[in-house]
Amino acid sequence: MEFQHYSRIEFAYDQGYGPRVLVVTISGNNPVNGVDEAMHEELARVFTDCQRDPDSDLIVLTGKGRVFCAGGDLDWFDEQISNPASFRAIAPDAKRIVLSLLELEKPIICRLNGAAAGLGATIALMCDVIIAEDTSKIGDPHVKVGLVAGDGGAVIWPALIGVARAKEMLLTGDLISGPEAARIGLVNYAVPSDQLDSKVAEMAGKILGNPRWAVRWTKVVMNQQLRQAANLTMDAAVAYETLSNMAKDRAEAVAAFKEKRKMNLTGE
């Protein structure tokens, strides 16, 4: 299948992970693969296109370069703050990213290279098997930039590590290391960088060695609870995130982050 009209995502077959494996690479317009408007729109349709692809039975999702995906691009944040209507306009795509990923029948392995934060972490964690570099960092720092964790973090973190730990992570916005993420069950494995590809290939081979429809439909059944949680949560999550984008402390949080200084919060 030819994947056309993508500028922030790359596609390749035959990358050493076995037959009928499609490698989907997040390729941002910045060194940390930050999500801008173009990437956000593409993420909302890429998993549907992957499902339709007749040439693959398994997806490997990774990031280009040294970072998987660092979440929202700071320049895009400035645009959203100055024009709140632009934030409101992305709400349908925000829900579609989460739901289309959970509705993807084909197994998807996350090759988690470097950092995954915010929306990047959500996408990584909603994959079926997550294999991280032991030097990687993962977290959902929405609150650190003045936003509600509205893009799926409130759905997937509690499902993986329980409500208490998930609340700690999302309310502090802290990032944890790959080995710590593996220890608490947030990811499946944390391996040295030089073993990342071989571990992904090993896992892909194990999955592809089983009958196709047994694998796909087992995933469908297991994702029912996550899909229900997403349907229950996402409308409110996106709505509250939209409101938080208009708060005064949101603008201050982004400015402080960019200027590498302490936030001067007013509670407004």
Side-chain angles (χ1 to χ4, degrees):
M1 176 173 172
E2 291 187 8
F3 292 87
Q4 299 178 347
H5 311 299
Y6 283 90
S7 62
R8 301 289 191 269
I9 301 176
E10 300 175 358
F11 305 88
Y13 301 94
D14 301 322
Q15 297 300 298
Y17 299 123
R20 296 187 61 80
V21 175
L22 172 63
V23 180
V24 177
T25 303
I26 299 170
S27 179
N29 199 29
N30 48 67
V32 296
N33 294 323
V35 180
D36 57 12
E37 184 175 8
M39 184 188 291
H40 197 266
E41 186 275 331
E42 291 178 12
L43 287 169
R45 55 187 168 88
V46 64
F47 302 112
T48 300
D49 283 349
C50 288
Q51 177 64 33
R52 294 170 177 165
D53 175 33
D55 300 318
S56 62
D57 286 318
L58 185 144
I59 312 302
V60 171
L61 180 66
T62 192
K64 188 173 184 176
R66 60 184 178 84
V67 174
F68 179 79
C69 176
D73 177 71
L74 291 175
D75 290 336
W76 195 32
F77 283 168
D78 286 337
E79 294 175 21
Q80 294 167 343
I81 291 167
S82 62
N83 181 18
S86 68
F87 195 102
R88 184 175 64 242
I90 68 171
D93 277 350
K95 291 184 288 185
R96 196 170 293 116
I97 291 170
V98 171
L99 294 174
S100 65
L101 181 50
L102 293 178
E103 290 167 358
L104 175 65
E105 291 187 356
K106 296 177 183 179
I108 179 168
I109 298 173
C110 178
R111 178 188 180 274
L112 182 51
N113 57 310
L119 179 56
T122 294
I123 293 170
L125 297 179
M126 285 189 174
C127 293
D128 303 314
V129 180
I130 306 111
I131 302 173
E133 287 182 313
D134 58 8
T135 55
S136 63
K137 297 287 185 181
I138 187 165
D140 194 329
H142 271 76
V143 294
K144 290 186 178 294
V145 289
L147 283 178
V148 169
D151 60 17
V155 174
I156 194 61
W157 285 76
L160 294 176
I161 59 174
V163 173
R165 273 193 170 130
K167 283 184 176 179
E168 177 185 350
M169 295 304 301
L170 269 64
L171 297 181
T172 63
D174 289 343
L175 274 65
I176 58 174
S177 68
E180 176 65 8
R183 186 188 72 80
I184 65 176
L186 190 67
V187 305
N188 297 81
Y189 300 96
V191 300
S193 299
D194 61 358
Q195 297 177 25
L196 183 60
D197 287 323
S198 61
K199 189 65 178 178
V200 171
E202 175 192 344
M203 185 59 59
K206 286 183 177 181
I207 294 172
L208 290 172
N210 295 317
R212 174 191 295 172
W213 298 110
V215 167
R216 290 193 187 186
W217 291 339
T218 294
K219 171 181 174 172
V220 169
V221 172
M222 293 187 71
N223 267 9
Q224 290 300 309
Q225 290 187 345
L226 286 175
R227 290 170 62 182
Q228 289 179 3
N231 283 321
L232 179 66
T233 303
M234 287 302 297
D235 281 332
V238 171
Y240 276 113
E241 187 177 17
T242 301
L243 286 174
S244 65
N245 179 64
M246 295 185 286
K248 290 183 179 179
D249 278 349
R250 156 69 163 159
E252 168 59 17
V254 172
F257 190 88
K258 293 179 72 172
E259 296 166 13
K260 299 180 180 180
R261 59 172 174 81
K262 185 177 179 180
M263 290 181 282
N264 181 23
L265 303 177
T266 64
E268 299 181 18

